[in-house]
Amino acid sequence: MKKSMDRFLNYLNTIFNLSDAAKDYLSIHGKIKVFPAGSYYKFDDEKIEKWCFMLEGLAARIGFENDNEVIERIYCKDFYFSGTKHVFSKTSERISIKFLRKSEIYEIQNHHLRIAFQQYQELQECYLVLKEYEIQYIKDLLSILKSPSKKRLYELHRRQPFLLSILTVKEKISYLNFKNIKEYYSSLGFLIYST
């Protein structure tokens, strides 16, 4: 697990030069966890006041539509999620977080992370950069979902190419909000024709 912790700290260090004290704080108050594919980090009615950073694997923010799971957002390597609305919140959203593949995460309680932001400016800076990445991800996702269903795989290829190859057909259908398999194959045909 030490290698995983080092990998997490080294990644943050590429964003902003971390002091040894900030690294020590994150190492002391956070931990590395591994989850099997298909397991849940939280269910829609749970509140888990922790912030998590994906080191490996694939997780999804799951909503429900007519009692069916719908992928609303994907979390892969170098993405983060929280068991509450955000790291500064004590309330939860009615969503589940499910690991789609075996995953390894760094986990820290929200209040410890908030203290870290106050004590170590560089950690606040890192968080702001990660937040900017998340905002860009959401903009890209909204742009993909606004496009006609026929063009959604092409837009996924353009805007989030890392997801095109790692999601299964069933996951792509859910993530890209296709109504059925026919829409998926129509979009796949457009992608093949356009690239």
Side-chain angles (χ1 to χ4, degrees), residues 37-90:
S39 64
Y40 286 81
Y41 183 77
K42 75 175 273 312
F43 293 100
D44 68 334
D45 56 351
E46 276 185 290
K47 174 179 71 168
I48 300 177
E49 293 185 39
K50 295 182 180 177
W51 182 86
C52 302
F53 184 84
M54 294 288 296
L55 296 168
E56 286 181 15
L58 192 67
R61 173 187 166 120
I62 304 286
F64 294 90
E65 191 174 291
N66 300 325
D67 292 329
N68 294 318
E69 288 187 350
V70 178
I71 296 174
E72 294 181 357
R73 198 176 300 164
I74 296 288
Y75 306 108
C76 55
K77 185 177 182 284
D78 302 336
F79 281 64
Y80 72 89
F81 61 86
S82 178
T84 54
K85 287 183 179 179
H86 49 77
V87 74
F88 299 99
S89 175
K90 290 184 184 263

Side-chain angles (χ1 to χ4, degrees), residues 40 59-65 67-74 96 98 100 137 141 144-145 149 152-153 156 160 163 167-185:
Y40 286 81
R61 173 187 166 120
I62 304 286
F64 294 90
E65 191 174 291
D67 292 329
N68 294 318
E69 288 187 350
V70 178
I71 296 174
E72 294 181 357
R73 198 176 300 164
I74 296 288
S96 294
K98 180 179 183 178
L100 303 177
Y137 166 86
L141 177 58
I144 292 166
L145 294 176
S149 63
R152 287 187 195 146
L153 280 173
L156 182 67
Q160 298 174 338
L163 293 179
L167 295 177
T168 66
V169 170
K170 184 178 177 182
E171 291 164 351
K172 288 175 194 167
I173 288 170
S174 179
Y175 182 61
L176 298 176
N177 204 17
F178 290 121
K179 290 182 180 75
N180 52 47
I181 193 85
K182 185 178 176 184
E183 279 190 357
Y184 170 81
Y185 281 111

